[in-house]
Amino acid sequence: MNGYLKPVELGKASRLIHHGPTVLVSAHHQGVDDVMAVGWACALDFAPPKVTVVLDKVARTRELVEGSAIFVVQVPTVAQLQLVDAVGTSTLFNDPDKLLKSDVHLFHQDGFGHLPFVTGCSAWLACKLIPEPHNQENYDLFIGEIVGAWADTRVFREGHWHFQDADPAWRSLHYIAGGHYYATGDSFFAATVES
Amino acid sequence: MNGYLKPVELGKASRLIHHGPTVLVSAHHQGVDDVMAVGWACALDFAPPKVTVVLDKVARTRELVEGSAIFVVQVPTVAQLQLVDAVGTSTLFNDPDKLLKSDVHLFHQDGFGHLPFVTGCSAWLACKLIPEPHNQENYDLFIGEIVGAWADTRVFREGHWHFQDADPAWRSLHYIAGGHYYATGDSFFAATVES
């Protein structure tokens, strides 16, 4: 945790993932931490704010989410490209040193117990699982209610992303396939249209 | 329709939205076409390929999807910024001339009847609704199976996006809030990590 990390009001929390970044999902259960890369994550509602994440059955993180019913969705940066790819291509089931080898460092937030947050990201959403067994079993689709949100003020402040003013290393990653990612790019504003 | 528009194999169709772009959702039912901007759209599976889209009850397009059980998810471009913002901020319920005023032009694909596709996008996914009334009513969440996929070869070909080689006007849009969008940005490849 660092002095740049500030809470984001829950009414604006979904903006942290509106741009469709690849995220890291982390969870803790019975003494085990895990972190995975998730390309399929999306906002679902504003009030209360909710998210969807697709968690494959091959991921240990999924077991931890099912066991603890709480998880973190966090937005990694271009500076974390190798970390993201590493946690997206290895599994704790096969490699107990996955997080160490992937250079993942974790921190905790007051009031959230052992819930693991990944150091160096630009934004974090603490999400309480809304159990939907049909979706989880049939589609690997998990729904979470956002119960806490924080961002690094060097790139998100006063309810807005500031990628255009920040070091490019702060930009988000958007995964395509096979180790190929795009970063978040230029900023555009639509002109107000009078109808 | 133009000569650059080519089919994409269904096994790679979800790559068309992996980068988390804002999409346009279009549908037709009983003589009515509508198109809406959707910030909350996401891939859900590879085989068969599926997507999720969040369709608010205020959108006429949602009624058309419910009525016809088929819809198009298409990826608009920076060149279409004003069109995207226009169809995202007006509704056919209040303005029968919405599509005309938004400068939306539609085309059709062989084998898909009246299903409306928006001209000028970079990619198109024809999606058959998988009815999930609980998700639709409680979360405005709709699941579709991708049954047809096409892309403009000037920016997506041989299973890969080529934003880095194309005119920047072809980049996708990533909506944040209040008329503010980011374009898809620079391309990065993660180094292969030996564990």
Side-chain angles (χ1 to χ4, degrees):
Chain A
M1 182 147 172
N2 65 59
Y4 296 106
L5 192 158
K6 301 291 182 195
V8 174
E9 59 179 293
L10 291 183
K12 292 180 176 168
S14 66
R15 291 186 187 182
L16 298 172
I17 57 167
H18 276 185
H19 56 309
T22 298
V23 301
L24 300 177
V25 172
S26 55
H28 172 100
H29 188 55
Q30 295 180 337
V32 178
D33 291 314
D34 199 7
V35 180
M36 66 188 289
V38 172
W40 298 349
C42 195
L44 178 64
D45 203 350
F46 291 111
K50 300 188 191 80
V51 296
T52 55
V53 290
V54 180
L55 305 178
D56 196 287
K57 292 180 183 69
V58 303
R60 182 81 192 274
T61 307
R62 173 176 171 149
E63 280 191 1
L64 306 182
V65 171
E66 290 171 328
S68 65
I70 189 163
F71 57 100
V72 182
V73 172
Q74 49 237 307
V75 183
T77 71
V78 164
Q80 293 173 299
L81 172 65
Q82 286 303 131
L83 181 160
V84 172
D85 209 65
V87 298
T89 52
S90 61
T91 168
L92 201 62
F93 282 128
N94 296 336
D95 186 351
D97 294 329
K98 170 185 172 178
L99 298 189
L100 185 66
K101 289 180 182 172
S102 303
D103 201 25
V104 170
H105 299 270
L106 301 173
F107 66 98
H108 300 104
Q109 294 272 33
D110 288 347
F112 289 87
H114 292 290
L115 189 66
F117 295 76
V118 178
T119 298
C121 291
S122 57
W124 300 261
L125 303 171
C127 303
K128 190 177 159 191
L129 180 68
I130 299 175
E132 289 284 1
H134 172 75
N135 286 334
Q136 293 167 208
E137 287 310 309
N138 286 273
Y139 299 114
D140 297 334
L141 180 68
F142 291 71
I143 296 176
E145 179 182 336
I146 302 172
V147 293
W150 302 263
D152 192 300
T153 54
R154 286 170 288 189
V155 64
F156 186 96
R157 54 189 179 272
E158 295 164 3
H160 295 280
W161 284 106
H162 290 265
F163 293 118
Q164 61 274 32
D165 310 321
D167 187 300
W170 279 107
R171 294 189 179 228
S172 302
L173 294 163
H174 303 259
Y175 181 60
I176 305 291
H180 185 206
Y181 298 77
Y182 287 97
T184 308
D186 293 343
S187 178
F188 289 91
F189 284 87
T192 303
V193 177
E194 300 293 337
S195 62
Chain B
M1 183 148 171
N2 63 60
Y4 296 106
L5 193 158
K6 300 290 182 196
V8 174
E9 60 179 293
L10 291 184
K12 291 180 177 168
S14 66
R15 290 186 187 182
L16 298 172
I17 58 166
H18 276 186
H19 57 310
T22 297
V23 301
L24 301 177
V25 172
S26 55
H28 172 100
H29 188 56
Q30 295 180 336
V32 178
D33 290 314
D34 199 8
V35 180
M36 67 187 289
V38 173
W40 299 349
C42 196
L44 178 65
D45 203 351
F46 290 111
K50 298 188 192 80
V51 296
T52 56
V53 290
V54 180
L55 305 179
D56 197 286
K57 292 179 183 71
V58 303
R60 183 81 192 273
T61 307
R62 174 178 169 147
E63 281 190 1
L64 306 181
V65 171
E66 290 171 327
S68 65
I70 189 163
F71 57 100
V72 182
V73 171
Q74 49 237 306
V75 182
T77 71
V78 164
Q80 293 173 301
L81 174 65
Q82 287 302 133
L83 182 161
V84 173
D85 209 65
V87 298
T89 53
S90 61
T91 168
L92 201 62
F93 282 129
N94 297 335
D95 187 351
D97 293 330
K98 170 185 172 178
L99 298 189
L100 186 65
K101 289 180 181 171
S102 302
D103 202 26
V104 169
H105 299 269
L106 301 173
F107 67 98
H108 300 103
Q109 294 271 34
D110 287 347
F112 289 87
H114 292 290
L115 190 65
F117 295 76
V118 178
T119 300
C121 290
S122 58
W124 299 262
L125 303 171
C127 302
K128 189 177 160 191
L129 181 67
I130 299 176
E132 289 284 2
H134 172 75
N135 287 334
Q136 293 167 208
E137 287 308 310
N138 286 272
Y139 300 114
D140 297 334
L141 180 68
F142 290 71
I143 297 176
E145 179 182 336
I146 303 171
V147 294
W150 303 263
D152 191 300
T153 54
R154 287 171 287 188
V155 64
F156 186 96
R157 53 188 179 272
E158 294 164 4
H160 295 280
W161 285 105
H162 290 266
F163 294 117
Q164 61 276 30
D165 311 320
D167 188 301
W170 280 106
R171 293 188 179 227
S172 302
L173 293 164
H174 303 259
Y175 181 60
I176 303 292
H180 185 206
Y181 298 76
Y182 287 97
T184 309
D186 293 342
S187 178
F188 290 90
F189 285 86
T192 303
V193 177
E194 300 292 339
S195 62

